Amino acid sequence: MILIIDFGSQFNQLIARRVRECRVYCQIDPPDIGIDDIKALKPEGIILSGGPASIYEKNSPKIDKAIFDLGIPVLGICYGMQFMVNAFGGKVKSSKKREYGFSELRIKKQEDLFKKIPDKTVCWMSHGDSIMKLPRGFKITASTENTKIAAAVNTSKRLYGLQFHPEVEHTKKGKNMLRTFLFDICGCKRSWTMKSFARESIDNIRSTVKDRKVILGLSGGVDSSVTALLLHRAIGKKLTCIFVDNGLLRKNEGEKLKKTFKQNLDINIRYINAGKQFLTALSNVTDPEKKRKIIGGIFIKVFETEAKKIKKAEFLAQGTLYPDIIESQSAFGGPTAVIKSHHNVGGLPENMKLKLIEPLKYLFKDEVRLLGKELGLDEDLIWRQPFPGPGLAVRIIGDITKKRIAILQDADAVLMEEIKKSGYYRKLWQSFGVLLPLKSVGIMGDKRTYENILAVRAVTSKDAMTADWAQLPHALLRTIANRIINEVKGINRVVYDISSKPPSTIEWE
Protein backbone atom coordinates (compact mmCIF):
# COMPACT_ATOMS: atom_id res chain seq x y z
CA MET A 1 0.00 0.00 0.00
CA ILE A 2 0.92 3.66 -0.41
CA LEU A 3 0.40 6.19 2.37
CA ILE A 4 -0.60 9.70 1.27
CA ILE A 5 -0.02 12.48 3.79
CA ASP A 6 -2.60 15.27 3.59
CA PHE A 7 -0.77 18.60 3.69
CA GLY A 8 -3.88 20.42 2.54
CA SER A 9 -3.98 20.01 -1.22
CA GLN A 10 -7.34 20.02 -3.01
CA PHE A 11 -5.72 17.39 -5.27
CA ASN A 12 -5.38 14.76 -2.50
CA GLN A 13 -8.36 12.88 -3.84
CA LEU A 14 -6.81 12.95 -7.29
CA ILE A 15 -3.48 11.57 -6.03
CA ALA A 16 -5.36 8.69 -4.41
CA ARG A 17 -7.37 8.06 -7.58
CA ARG A 18 -4.22 7.91 -9.68
CA VAL A 19 -2.67 5.34 -7.33
CA ARG A 20 -5.86 3.25 -7.26
CA GLU A 21 -6.06 3.35 -11.06
CA CYS A 22 -2.76 1.46 -11.00
CA ARG A 23 -4.47 -1.22 -8.83
CA VAL A 24 -2.40 -0.26 -5.79
CA TYR A 25 -4.18 0.39 -2.49
CA CYS A 26 -3.61 3.72 -0.77
CA GLN A 27 -5.08 5.78 2.01
CA ILE A 28 -4.89 9.41 3.09
CA ASP A 29 -3.83 10.32 6.63
CA PRO A 30 -3.14 13.65 8.37
CA PRO A 31 0.42 14.81 9.05
CA ASP A 32 0.01 14.24 12.80
CA ILE A 33 -0.07 10.47 12.28
CA GLY A 34 2.46 8.86 14.61
CA ILE A 35 5.56 7.12 13.31
CA ASP A 36 4.51 3.88 15.03
CA ASP A 37 1.17 4.02 13.23
CA ILE A 38 2.98 4.47 9.93
CA LYS A 39 5.20 1.46 10.66
CA ALA A 40 2.10 -0.59 11.49
CA LEU A 41 0.62 0.20 8.06
CA LYS A 42 3.78 -1.16 6.40
CA PRO A 43 3.59 1.11 3.35
CA GLU A 44 5.78 0.42 0.32
CA GLY A 45 6.02 4.16 -0.18
CA ILE A 46 4.85 7.54 1.11
CA ILE A 47 3.54 10.50 -0.89
CA LEU A 48 3.60 13.95 0.72
CA SER A 49 0.86 16.06 -0.88
CA GLY A 50 0.87 19.70 -1.84
CA GLY A 51 -0.88 22.35 0.23
CA PRO A 52 -1.69 26.07 0.51
CA ALA A 53 0.62 26.80 3.45
CA SER A 54 4.17 28.16 3.45
CA ILE A 55 6.74 25.94 5.15
CA TYR A 56 7.82 28.89 7.32
CA GLU A 57 4.33 29.75 8.58
CA LYS A 58 3.89 29.22 12.32
CA ASN A 59 1.14 26.59 12.04
CA SER A 60 2.15 25.04 8.73
CA PRO A 61 1.48 21.27 8.64
CA LYS A 62 4.44 19.02 9.45
CA ILE A 63 4.97 15.29 9.82
CA ASP A 64 7.50 13.45 11.97
CA LYS A 65 10.84 13.66 10.14
CA ALA A 66 11.50 10.07 11.18
CA ILE A 67 9.63 9.01 8.02
CA PHE A 68 12.84 9.77 6.12
CA ASP A 69 14.68 7.14 8.20
CA LEU A 70 12.27 4.29 7.44
CA GLY A 71 14.21 3.24 4.37
CA ILE A 72 11.15 3.41 2.11
CA PRO A 73 10.73 5.76 -0.87
CA VAL A 74 9.13 9.16 -0.21
CA LEU A 75 7.71 11.37 -2.97
CA GLY A 76 7.11 15.02 -2.10
CA ILE A 77 4.75 16.99 -4.33
CA CYS A 78 4.81 20.82 -4.27
CA TYR A 79 4.56 21.72 -0.54
CA GLY A 80 5.53 18.10 0.22
CA MET A 81 8.80 18.61 -1.66
CA GLN A 82 9.43 21.90 0.15
CA PHE A 83 8.86 20.19 3.51
CA MET A 84 11.33 17.47 2.55
CA VAL A 85 14.00 19.97 1.48
CA ASN A 86 13.51 22.07 4.62
CA ALA A 87 13.73 18.97 6.83
CA PHE A 88 17.25 18.30 5.50
CA GLY A 89 18.46 21.89 5.82
CA GLY A 90 17.67 23.28 2.39
CA LYS A 91 16.26 26.75 1.76
CA VAL A 92 12.71 27.62 0.66
CA LYS A 93 11.69 31.23 -0.02
CA SER A 94 8.73 33.15 -1.36
CA SER A 95 9.08 33.51 -5.13
CA LYS A 96 9.24 36.92 -6.76
CA LYS A 97 7.13 35.52 -9.56
CA ARG A 98 4.37 33.08 -8.61
CA GLU A 99 4.11 30.14 -11.02
CA TYR A 100 0.61 28.91 -11.78
CA GLY A 101 -0.60 26.93 -14.77
CA PHE A 102 1.15 25.22 -17.65
CA SER A 103 4.96 25.20 -17.79
CA GLU A 104 7.51 23.48 -19.98
CA LEU A 105 9.47 20.97 -17.91
CA ARG A 106 13.06 20.45 -19.00
CA ILE A 107 14.38 17.10 -17.82
CA LYS A 108 18.12 16.69 -17.28
CA LYS A 109 18.31 12.88 -17.59
CA GLN A 110 15.84 10.04 -18.29
CA GLU A 111 16.24 8.25 -14.96
CA ASP A 112 14.46 7.80 -11.62
CA LEU A 113 10.93 9.30 -11.97
CA PHE A 114 11.69 10.45 -15.51
CA LYS A 115 12.36 7.09 -17.15
CA LYS A 116 11.15 7.15 -20.77
CA ILE A 117 9.91 10.75 -20.34
CA PRO A 118 10.85 13.17 -23.19
CA ASP A 119 13.50 15.84 -22.58
CA LYS A 120 10.74 18.44 -22.66
CA THR A 121 7.16 17.94 -21.52
CA VAL A 122 4.25 19.98 -20.18
CA CYS A 123 3.63 20.14 -16.41
CA TRP A 124 1.16 21.98 -14.16
CA MET A 125 2.56 24.36 -11.56
CA SER A 126 0.75 25.94 -8.61
CA HIS A 127 3.11 27.49 -6.06
CA GLY A 128 4.11 30.78 -4.49
CA ASP A 129 7.22 29.52 -2.67
CA SER A 130 10.26 28.03 -4.40
CA ILE A 131 13.31 26.04 -3.34
CA MET A 132 16.39 28.27 -3.44
CA LYS A 133 19.00 25.76 -2.26
CA LEU A 134 19.00 21.97 -2.04
CA PRO A 135 20.43 20.14 0.98
CA ARG A 136 23.52 17.95 0.72
CA GLY A 137 22.86 14.70 -1.11
CA PHE A 138 20.12 16.11 -3.37
CA LYS A 139 20.50 16.96 -7.07
CA ILE A 140 18.33 18.84 -9.55
CA THR A 141 16.59 16.57 -12.07
CA ALA A 142 14.30 19.03 -13.90
CA SER A 143 13.67 22.77 -14.31
CA THR A 144 11.20 25.23 -15.84
CA GLU A 145 11.80 28.76 -17.07
CA ASN A 146 10.67 30.25 -13.72
CA THR A 147 11.71 27.43 -11.37
CA LYS A 148 15.29 26.21 -11.44
CA ILE A 149 14.58 23.39 -8.98
CA ALA A 150 11.37 21.89 -10.43
CA ALA A 151 12.38 18.35 -9.44
CA ALA A 152 15.10 16.84 -7.28
CA VAL A 153 16.28 13.48 -5.94
CA ASN A 154 18.38 12.00 -3.17
CA THR A 155 19.04 8.56 -4.63
CA SER A 156 20.83 7.09 -1.60
CA LYS A 157 17.94 7.94 0.71
CA ARG A 158 15.27 7.16 -1.94
CA LEU A 159 13.73 10.63 -1.67
CA TYR A 160 12.07 12.29 -4.66
CA GLY A 161 10.60 15.76 -5.05
CA LEU A 162 8.38 17.37 -7.70
CA GLN A 163 7.48 21.06 -7.48
CA PHE A 164 4.70 20.51 -10.04
CA HIS A 165 1.59 18.32 -9.79
CA PRO A 166 1.93 14.95 -11.59
CA GLU A 167 -1.56 13.87 -10.52
CA VAL A 168 -3.49 16.38 -12.65
CA GLU A 169 -4.41 15.77 -16.29
CA HIS A 170 -2.55 18.95 -17.31
CA THR A 171 0.81 17.29 -16.56
CA LYS A 172 1.00 15.25 -19.75
CA LYS A 173 3.34 12.52 -18.49
CA GLY A 174 2.33 12.74 -14.82
CA LYS A 175 0.68 9.32 -14.74
CA ASN A 176 3.87 7.76 -16.16
CA MET A 177 5.92 9.41 -13.39
CA LEU A 178 3.57 8.10 -10.69
CA ARG A 179 3.60 4.60 -12.21
CA THR A 180 7.40 4.65 -12.16
CA PHE A 181 7.33 5.65 -8.49
CA LEU A 182 4.86 2.89 -7.60
CA PHE A 183 6.34 -0.02 -9.53
CA ASP A 184 10.00 0.69 -10.33
CA ILE A 185 10.90 2.57 -7.16
CA CYS A 186 8.50 1.25 -4.48
CA GLY A 187 8.13 -2.26 -5.92
CA CYS A 188 4.33 -2.29 -5.54
CA LYS A 189 2.22 -5.04 -7.07
CA ARG A 190 -1.07 -4.67 -8.93
CA SER A 191 -3.05 -6.49 -6.25
CA TRP A 192 -5.82 -3.96 -5.45
CA THR A 193 -8.88 -5.54 -7.06
CA MET A 194 -12.56 -5.49 -6.20
CA LYS A 195 -12.46 -9.26 -5.83
CA SER A 196 -9.91 -8.99 -3.02
CA PHE A 197 -11.74 -6.01 -1.51
CA ALA A 198 -15.06 -7.91 -1.49
CA ARG A 199 -13.49 -10.94 0.16
CA GLU A 200 -11.80 -8.88 2.90
CA SER A 201 -14.91 -6.71 3.47
CA ILE A 202 -17.21 -9.69 3.86
CA ASP A 203 -14.81 -11.23 6.42
CA ASN A 204 -14.61 -7.91 8.33
CA ILE A 205 -18.40 -7.44 8.36
CA ARG A 206 -18.94 -10.98 9.66
CA SER A 207 -16.38 -10.60 12.43
CA THR A 208 -17.85 -7.22 13.43
CA VAL A 209 -21.58 -8.03 13.31
CA LYS A 210 -21.45 -11.67 14.48
CA ASP A 211 -25.02 -12.69 15.43
CA ARG A 212 -26.42 -9.17 15.70
CA LYS A 213 -28.64 -7.23 13.26
CA VAL A 214 -27.93 -4.41 10.80
CA ILE A 215 -30.24 -1.74 9.36
CA LEU A 216 -29.55 -0.04 6.04
CA GLY A 217 -31.33 2.98 4.59
CA LEU A 218 -31.76 2.01 0.96
CA SER A 219 -32.06 4.86 -1.57
CA GLY A 220 -31.86 2.90 -4.80
CA GLY A 221 -28.60 4.56 -5.84
CA VAL A 222 -25.53 2.54 -6.72
CA ASP A 223 -23.78 3.28 -3.39
CA SER A 224 -26.54 2.02 -1.09
CA SER A 225 -27.39 -0.84 -3.49
CA VAL A 226 -23.80 -2.15 -3.51
CA THR A 227 -23.64 -1.72 0.28
CA ALA A 228 -26.85 -3.76 0.63
CA LEU A 229 -25.57 -6.59 -1.57
CA LEU A 230 -22.18 -6.69 0.18
CA LEU A 231 -23.84 -6.88 3.61
CA HIS A 232 -26.31 -9.49 2.39
CA ARG A 233 -23.41 -11.66 1.19
CA ALA A 234 -21.78 -11.30 4.60
CA ILE A 235 -24.69 -11.68 7.04
CA GLY A 236 -27.76 -12.70 5.02
CA LYS A 237 -31.09 -12.23 6.80
CA LYS A 238 -29.46 -10.35 9.70
CA LEU A 239 -29.66 -7.33 7.35
CA THR A 240 -32.88 -5.34 6.98
CA CYS A 241 -33.12 -2.57 4.38
CA ILE A 242 -35.56 0.29 4.92
CA PHE A 243 -36.71 2.07 1.79
CA VAL A 244 -38.67 5.28 2.35
CA ASP A 245 -40.62 6.32 -0.76
CA ASN A 246 -41.03 10.08 -0.40
CA GLY A 247 -43.21 10.35 -3.50
CA LEU A 248 -40.47 12.35 -5.22
CA LEU A 249 -38.82 9.50 -7.10
CA ARG A 250 -38.71 8.81 -10.82
CA LYS A 251 -41.74 7.17 -12.39
CA ASN A 252 -42.41 3.68 -10.90
CA GLU A 253 -38.93 3.66 -9.33
CA GLY A 254 -40.05 2.56 -5.87
CA GLU A 255 -41.84 -0.52 -7.20
CA LYS A 256 -38.90 -1.45 -9.43
CA LEU A 257 -36.49 -1.24 -6.51
CA LYS A 258 -38.72 -3.33 -4.26
CA LYS A 259 -38.95 -6.02 -6.93
CA THR A 260 -35.19 -6.05 -7.57
CA PHE A 261 -34.17 -6.45 -3.95
CA LYS A 262 -37.01 -8.47 -2.51
CA GLN A 263 -37.81 -10.89 -5.32
CA ASN A 264 -34.60 -11.12 -7.32
CA LEU A 265 -31.96 -10.82 -4.58
CA ASP A 266 -34.00 -12.14 -1.61
CA ILE A 267 -32.91 -9.28 0.64
CA ASN A 268 -35.07 -8.23 3.60
CA ILE A 269 -36.64 -4.91 2.66
CA ARG A 270 -39.27 -2.78 4.36
CA TYR A 271 -41.00 -0.49 1.88
CA ILE A 272 -42.57 2.63 3.42
CA ASN A 273 -44.89 4.69 1.23
CA ALA A 274 -44.71 8.13 2.86
CA GLY A 275 -45.48 10.27 -0.21
CA LYS A 276 -48.54 11.99 1.30
CA GLN A 277 -46.61 12.95 4.43
CA PHE A 278 -43.81 14.59 2.42
CA LEU A 279 -46.15 16.30 -0.03
CA THR A 280 -48.26 17.83 2.78
CA ALA A 281 -45.17 19.20 4.52
CA LEU A 282 -43.83 20.69 1.27
CA SER A 283 -47.03 22.51 0.37
CA ASN A 284 -46.33 26.15 -0.65
CA VAL A 285 -42.60 25.77 0.14
CA THR A 286 -40.43 27.20 -2.64
CA ASP A 287 -37.07 27.88 -0.95
CA PRO A 288 -34.67 25.05 -1.89
CA GLU A 289 -32.92 24.92 1.49
CA LYS A 290 -36.27 24.71 3.31
CA LYS A 291 -37.27 21.88 0.96
CA ARG A 292 -34.10 19.97 1.81
CA LYS A 293 -34.51 20.47 5.57
CA ILE A 294 -38.17 19.42 5.53
CA ILE A 295 -37.42 16.30 3.48
CA GLY A 296 -34.41 15.41 5.64
CA GLY A 297 -36.36 15.90 8.86
CA ILE A 298 -39.33 13.78 7.79
CA PHE A 299 -37.05 11.07 6.42
CA ILE A 300 -35.28 10.74 9.78
CA LYS A 301 -38.60 10.54 11.66
CA VAL A 302 -40.04 7.90 9.31
CA PHE A 303 -36.77 5.95 9.27
CA GLU A 304 -36.41 6.00 13.07
CA THR A 305 -40.00 4.88 13.58
CA GLU A 306 -39.44 1.90 11.30
CA ALA A 307 -35.99 1.13 12.69
CA LYS A 308 -37.37 0.82 16.24
CA LYS A 309 -39.59 -2.05 15.04
CA ILE A 310 -36.49 -4.11 14.25
CA LYS A 311 -35.60 -5.71 17.56
CA LYS A 312 -31.98 -6.25 18.61
CA ALA A 313 -30.59 -4.14 15.78
CA GLU A 314 -27.18 -2.81 16.81
CA PHE A 315 -25.73 -1.42 13.58
CA LEU A 316 -26.66 1.13 10.94
CA ALA A 317 -25.01 0.74 7.54
CA GLN A 318 -24.40 3.63 5.15
CA GLY A 319 -23.07 3.84 1.61
CA THR A 320 -20.55 6.59 2.44
CA LEU A 321 -17.76 6.90 -0.13
CA TYR A 322 -14.18 8.16 0.17
CA PRO A 323 -14.89 11.49 -1.62
CA ASP A 324 -17.72 12.14 0.90
CA ILE A 325 -15.22 11.84 3.75
CA ILE A 326 -12.50 13.84 2.02
CA GLU A 327 -14.89 16.67 1.10
CA SER A 328 -16.83 16.78 4.37
CA GLN A 329 -14.25 16.04 7.02
CA SER A 330 -11.01 16.95 5.35
CA ALA A 331 -9.75 13.39 5.07
CA PHE A 332 -9.12 12.04 8.55
CA GLY A 333 -8.64 15.46 10.09
CA GLY A 334 -6.04 16.76 7.65
CA PRO A 335 -5.86 20.45 6.73
CA THR A 336 -7.61 20.20 3.35
CA ALA A 337 -10.29 22.88 3.01
CA VAL A 338 -13.81 21.51 3.42
CA ILE A 339 -15.60 21.64 0.06
CA LYS A 340 -19.15 20.68 1.06
CA SER A 341 -21.04 18.67 3.65
CA HIS A 342 -22.75 15.38 2.88
CA HIS A 343 -25.92 13.98 4.43
CA ASN A 344 -24.33 10.59 5.15
CA VAL A 345 -21.16 11.87 6.82
CA GLY A 346 -20.92 12.87 10.44
CA GLY A 347 -22.58 10.07 12.35
CA LEU A 348 -26.05 9.20 13.54
CA PRO A 349 -28.91 11.06 15.21
CA GLU A 350 -28.03 11.32 18.93
CA ASN A 351 -31.09 9.37 20.05
CA MET A 352 -30.43 6.49 17.66
CA LYS A 353 -27.92 4.41 19.57
CA LEU A 354 -26.58 2.30 16.74
CA LYS A 355 -23.01 1.63 15.70
CA LEU A 356 -22.03 2.71 12.23
CA ILE A 357 -20.87 0.40 9.43
CA GLU A 358 -19.52 2.03 6.26
CA PRO A 359 -17.97 -0.73 4.12
CA LEU A 360 -17.41 1.53 1.09
CA LYS A 361 -15.82 4.48 2.90
CA TYR A 362 -12.42 3.96 1.27
CA LEU A 363 -13.79 3.56 -2.27
CA PHE A 364 -14.32 5.98 -5.13
CA LYS A 365 -17.46 5.89 -7.31
CA ASP A 366 -15.82 4.03 -10.19
CA GLU A 367 -14.54 1.40 -7.74
CA VAL A 368 -18.05 0.99 -6.29
CA ARG A 369 -19.36 0.24 -9.78
CA LEU A 370 -16.62 -2.37 -10.26
CA LEU A 371 -17.49 -3.87 -6.87
CA GLY A 372 -21.16 -4.03 -7.86
CA LYS A 373 -20.18 -5.88 -11.02
CA GLU A 374 -18.03 -8.28 -9.01
CA LEU A 375 -20.98 -8.99 -6.68
CA GLY A 376 -23.34 -9.60 -9.60
CA LEU A 377 -25.53 -6.52 -9.18
CA ASP A 378 -27.91 -5.75 -12.03
CA GLU A 379 -26.32 -3.57 -14.74
CA ASP A 380 -29.13 -1.00 -14.51
CA LEU A 381 -28.33 -0.42 -10.85
CA ILE A 382 -24.55 -0.43 -11.36
CA TRP A 383 -24.75 2.30 -13.98
CA ARG A 384 -27.62 4.25 -12.46
CA GLN A 385 -26.88 7.94 -12.69
CA PRO A 386 -26.67 9.90 -9.41
CA PHE A 387 -30.03 11.00 -8.07
CA PRO A 388 -30.37 13.71 -5.37
CA GLY A 389 -31.48 12.72 -1.87
CA PRO A 390 -34.43 15.16 -1.93
CA GLY A 391 -35.44 13.62 -5.27
CA LEU A 392 -37.54 15.61 -7.71
CA ALA A 393 -38.14 18.28 -5.05
CA VAL A 394 -34.93 20.02 -6.17
CA ARG A 395 -35.80 19.53 -9.84
CA ILE A 396 -39.18 21.21 -9.48
CA ILE A 397 -38.36 24.87 -9.13
CA GLY A 398 -41.00 26.59 -7.02
CA ASP A 399 -44.09 25.02 -5.49
CA ILE A 400 -44.33 21.22 -5.32
CA THR A 401 -47.74 19.75 -6.09
CA LYS A 402 -48.96 16.29 -7.02
CA LYS A 403 -49.70 17.52 -10.55
CA ARG A 404 -46.24 19.05 -11.04
CA ILE A 405 -44.57 15.88 -9.74
CA ALA A 406 -46.54 13.79 -12.27
CA ILE A 407 -45.62 16.14 -15.13
CA LEU A 408 -41.90 15.93 -14.32
CA GLN A 409 -42.03 12.15 -13.81
CA ASP A 410 -43.61 11.69 -17.25
CA ALA A 411 -41.12 14.04 -18.92
CA ASP A 412 -38.20 12.42 -17.13
CA ALA A 413 -39.34 8.95 -18.27
CA VAL A 414 -39.31 10.08 -21.92
CA LEU A 415 -35.90 11.73 -21.49
CA MET A 416 -34.37 8.61 -19.89
CA GLU A 417 -35.82 6.35 -22.57
CA GLU A 418 -34.28 8.40 -25.39
CA ILE A 419 -30.92 8.88 -23.64
CA LYS A 420 -30.61 5.12 -23.09
CA LYS A 421 -31.80 4.30 -26.61
CA SER A 422 -29.15 6.64 -28.07
CA GLY A 423 -26.30 4.93 -26.17
CA TYR A 424 -25.43 8.10 -24.25
CA TYR A 425 -26.62 7.01 -20.80
CA ARG A 426 -23.27 5.56 -19.65
CA LYS A 427 -21.31 8.36 -21.28
CA LEU A 428 -23.07 10.96 -19.14
CA TRP A 429 -22.57 11.63 -15.44
CA GLN A 430 -26.16 12.83 -15.15
CA SER A 431 -29.09 13.64 -17.41
CA PHE A 432 -32.42 14.92 -16.14
CA GLY A 433 -35.26 17.40 -16.56
CA VAL A 434 -35.99 20.48 -14.46
CA LEU A 435 -39.56 21.83 -14.28
CA LEU A 436 -39.37 25.62 -14.26
CA PRO A 437 -41.74 27.98 -12.37
CA LEU A 438 -42.53 29.68 -15.69
CA LYS A 439 -45.10 29.23 -18.41
CA SER A 440 -44.90 30.12 -22.07
CA VAL A 441 -47.32 30.64 -24.92
CA GLY A 442 -47.56 27.89 -27.51
CA ILE A 443 -49.73 26.69 -30.38
CA MET A 444 -50.95 23.11 -30.30
CA GLY A 445 -53.70 21.83 -32.56
CA ASP A 446 -54.38 25.37 -33.81
CA LYS A 447 -55.10 26.41 -30.25
CA ARG A 448 -53.24 28.78 -27.98
CA THR A 449 -51.60 27.10 -24.98
CA TYR A 450 -50.01 28.52 -21.88
CA GLU A 451 -48.04 25.66 -20.33
CA ASN A 452 -44.89 24.71 -18.41
CA ILE A 453 -41.27 24.89 -19.58
CA LEU A 454 -38.90 21.95 -19.09
CA ALA A 455 -35.12 22.48 -18.97
CA VAL A 456 -33.05 19.45 -19.98
CA ARG A 457 -29.70 19.08 -18.19
CA ALA A 458 -26.97 16.61 -19.30
CA VAL A 459 -23.37 16.75 -18.09
CA THR A 460 -20.14 14.81 -18.38
CA SER A 461 -17.87 14.43 -15.36
CA LYS A 462 -15.48 12.04 -13.63
CA ASP A 463 -16.28 12.81 -10.01
CA ALA A 464 -18.90 15.64 -9.99
CA MET A 465 -16.34 18.10 -8.59
CA THR A 466 -16.31 19.70 -12.05
CA ALA A 467 -18.65 19.05 -14.97
CA ASP A 468 -19.14 20.10 -18.58
CA TRP A 469 -22.46 20.33 -20.38
CA ALA A 470 -22.82 17.44 -22.79
CA GLN A 471 -22.81 18.29 -26.46
CA LEU A 472 -25.61 15.91 -27.39
CA PRO A 473 -26.44 15.51 -31.08
CA HIS A 474 -29.04 17.98 -32.34
CA ALA A 475 -31.10 15.10 -33.74
CA LEU A 476 -31.31 13.54 -30.27
CA LEU A 477 -32.30 16.84 -28.65
CA ARG A 478 -34.95 17.32 -31.33
CA THR A 479 -36.39 13.85 -30.64
CA ILE A 480 -36.43 14.45 -26.87
CA ALA A 481 -38.15 17.83 -27.23
CA ASN A 482 -40.72 16.57 -29.75
CA ARG A 483 -41.66 13.55 -27.66
CA ILE A 484 -41.96 15.49 -24.39
CA ILE A 485 -44.10 18.23 -25.94
CA ASN A 486 -46.31 15.71 -27.77
CA GLU A 487 -46.63 13.11 -25.02
CA VAL A 488 -46.49 15.01 -21.72
CA LYS A 489 -49.58 17.04 -21.05
CA GLY A 490 -48.67 20.34 -19.43
CA ILE A 491 -45.38 21.09 -21.25
CA ASN A 492 -45.19 23.12 -24.45
CA ARG A 493 -41.53 24.21 -24.48
CA VAL A 494 -38.19 22.42 -23.89
CA VAL A 495 -34.87 24.24 -23.42
CA TYR A 496 -31.32 22.87 -23.04
CA ASP A 497 -28.94 23.96 -20.24
CA ILE A 498 -25.43 24.71 -21.58
CA SER A 499 -23.82 25.75 -18.26
CA SER A 500 -20.71 24.04 -16.86
CA LYS A 501 -19.62 23.50 -13.24
CA PRO A 502 -18.19 25.86 -12.12
CA PRO A 503 -19.67 28.47 -12.20
CA SER A 504 -23.03 26.64 -12.22
CA THR A 505 -23.84 23.54 -10.18
CA ILE A 506 -25.06 20.30 -11.73
CA GLU A 507 -28.44 20.41 -10.01
CA TRP A 508 -30.48 23.62 -10.23
CA GLU A 509 -31.28 23.73 -6.49
Side-chain angles (χ1 to χ4, degrees):
M1 66 91 71
I2 294 293
L3 175 64
I4 300 169
I5 299 301
D6 174 9
F7 277 144
S9 173
Q10 296 291 1
F11 297 134
N12 282 339
Q13 185 180 147
L14 200 49
I15 298 172
R17 287 182 66 87
R18 293 287 175 257
V19 175
R20 297 277 186 90
E21 285 169 5
C22 294
R23 289 175 52 193
V24 174
Y25 179 71
C26 64
Q27 72 180 53
I28 301 173
D29 276 294
D32 60 6
I33 182 174
I35 195 69
D36 289 335
D37 292 327
I38 293 175
K39 289 178 180 177
L41 290 171
K42 298 180 180 178
E44 271 76 39
I46 296 173
I47 297 177
L48 306 177
S49 85
S54 171
I55 192 67
Y56 295 118
E57 288 177 3
K58 185 177 180 181
N59 296 316
S60 61
K62 295 177 176 62
I63 190 171
D64 193 329
K65 295 177 184 178
I67 61 166
F68 300 122
D69 299 322
L70 295 176
I72 60 176
V74 179
L75 169 61
I77 297 174
C78 200
Y79 176 90
M81 178 187 182
Q82 294 170 8
F83 172 81
M84 181 189 296
V85 167
N86 179 259
F88 282 89
K91 291 185 179 179
V92 180
K93 288 186 178 180
S94 179
S95 303
K96 291 182 179 179
K97 187 176 181 181
R98 189 172 186 268
E99 193 172 21
Y100 182 83
F102 292 103
S103 291
E104 183 182 70
L105 187 70
R106 300 164 188 170
I107 294 167
K108 293 187 176 294
K109 197 172 182 181
Q110 277 73 29
E111 61 183 12
D112 298 318
L113 292 175
F114 301 133
K115 283 182 180 180
K116 300 179 182 178
I117 304 294
D119 291 345
K120 294 180 181 179
T121 185
V122 175
C123 71
W124 179 263
M125 287 285 192
S126 179
H127 64 102
D129 291 349
S130 290
I131 296 164
M132 298 292 118
K133 182 182 177 182
L134 286 173
R136 184 179 299 175
F138 285 78
K139 66 177 182 180
I140 300 172
T141 55
S143 304
T144 68
E145 186 177 346
N146 294 328
T147 303
K148 181 182 178 182
I149 307 175
V153 63
N154 183 323
T155 308
S156 63
K157 288 187 173 292
R158 305 175 79 190
L159 305 178
Y160 307 83
L162 301 176
Q163 185 59 72
F164 57 92
H165 290 271
E167 69 274 19
V168 302
E169 292 284 351
H170 308 306
T171 299
K172 298 299 182 183
K173 297 294 181 180
K175 293 179 184 178
N176 301 60
M177 298 171 197
L178 289 172
R179 280 196 288 266
T180 298
F181 178 72
L182 295 175
F183 301 118
D184 295 355
I185 295 173
C186 296
C188 294
K189 295 179 181 179
R190 299 177 185 271
S191 59
W192 171 246
T193 65
M194 287 304 100
K195 188 173 185 177
S196 64
F197 176 84
R199 184 172 58 248
E200 291 173 11
S201 293
I202 288 170
D203 288 342
N204 288 337
I205 291 167
R206 284 174 180 163
S207 63
T208 300
V209 175
K210 296 178 181 176
D211 61 346
R212 294 167 287 185
K213 293 181 180 179
V214 179
I215 299 170
L216 169 68
L218 191 64
S219 69
V222 63
D223 305 338
S224 69
S225 297
V226 172
T227 302
L229 193 50
L230 187 65
L231 285 160
H232 181 66
R233 289 283 178 87
I235 59 174
K237 295 297 183 179
K238 291 195 283 289
L239 168 69
T240 299
C241 296
I242 298 176
F243 179 75
V244 179
D245 187 343
N246 57 16
L248 297 161
L249 305 174
R250 287 190 166 115
K251 193 171 183 178
N252 301 322
E253 193 165 39
E255 289 299 323
K256 288 178 185 176
L257 189 78
K258 185 165 61 172
K259 183 178 179 182
T260 298
F261 280 88
K262 201 164 189 175
Q263 295 180 18
N264 299 348
L265 299 175
D266 194 32
I267 293 176
N268 283 336
I269 181 169
R270 296 196 179 198
Y271 177 84
I272 315 300
N273 189 344
K276 288 183 180 179
Q277 194 173 341
F278 282 88
L279 189 58
T280 300
L282 290 167
S283 179
N284 298 317
V285 177
T286 58
D287 181 81
E289 281 306 305
K290 286 183 179 178
K291 288 180 185 177
R292 289 178 181 273
K293 288 179 180 178
I294 289 169
I295 291 168
I298 295 174
F299 174 83
I300 289 173
K301 287 180 181 177
V302 173
F303 185 87
E304 285 182 335
T305 299
E306 200 62 29
K308 287 175 182 177
K309 297 176 184 177
I310 302 170
K311 304 300 180 185
K312 297 182 180 179
E314 293 191 26
F315 298 92
L316 176 70
Q318 290 187 159
T320 309
L321 302 192
Y322 209 13
D324 299 341
I325 293 173
I326 293 171
E327 292 180 357
S328 295
Q329 299 185 159
S330 181
F332 301 92
T336 303
V338 173
I339 299 170
K340 58 184 176 180
S341 60
H342 288 259
H343 69 280
N344 56 343
V345 175
L348 312 173
E350 292 181 6
N351 59 342
M352 186 181 284
K353 296 177 181 178
L354 298 174
K355 298 169 187 173
L356 197 59
I357 291 182
E358 297 171 302
L360 310 184
K361 68 180 179 180
Y362 294 132
L363 297 187
F364 292 102
K365 178 70 81 173
D366 53 338
E367 292 172 329
V368 173
R369 295 191 196 281
L370 291 173
L371 177 59
K373 190 173 182 180
E374 179 66 37
L375 294 170
L377 191 63
D378 185 86
E379 287 280 316
D380 286 342
L381 280 173
I382 291 174
W383 292 102
R384 182 181 185 268
Q385 293 178 357
F387 190 70
L392 299 181
V394 291
R395 293 179 179 174
I396 297 174
I397 313 300
D399 196 19
I400 298 171
T401 64
K402 192 173 183 179
K403 183 180 178 181
R404 298 192 81 203
I405 292 171
I407 290 172
L408 184 54
Q409 284 177 330
D410 288 343
D412 181 80
V414 172
L415 174 62
M416 287 298 102
E417 185 180 327
E418 290 300 329
I419 291 290
K420 288 178 180 178
K421 192 190 297 183
S422 69
Y424 270 85
Y425 187 78
R426 289 196 189 181
K427 298 175 185 178
L428 300 173
W429 178 264
Q430 275 177 280
S431 50
F432 55 90
V434 180
L435 193 62
L436 304 186
L438 303 169
K439 289 190 175 184
S440 69
V441 174
I443 302 172
M444 302 176 77
D446 294 326
K447 291 182 179 180
R448 178 186 183 276
T449 62
Y450 191 57
E451 300 288 2
N452 296 282
I453 304 172
L454 183 85
V456 172
R457 179 78 158 141
V459 298
T460 57
S461 179
K462 288 186 177 180
D463 49 25
M465 296 180 77
T466 61
D468 292 321
W469 63 276
Q471 298 187 39
L472 298 178
H474 289 183
L476 174 58
L477 291 173
R478 184 187 302 117
T479 300
I480 290 168
N482 285 346
R483 281 199 60 195
I484 289 173
I485 292 170
N486 287 330
E487 298 174 26
V488 181
K489 191 175 181 180
I491 294 176
N492 69 356
R493 190 179 299 268
V494 174
V495 297
Y496 190 53
D497 182 349
I498 57 169
S499 311
S500 294
K501 176 186 178 181
S504 302
T505 54
I506 295 177
E507 298 285 348
W508 279 42
E509 287 192 341

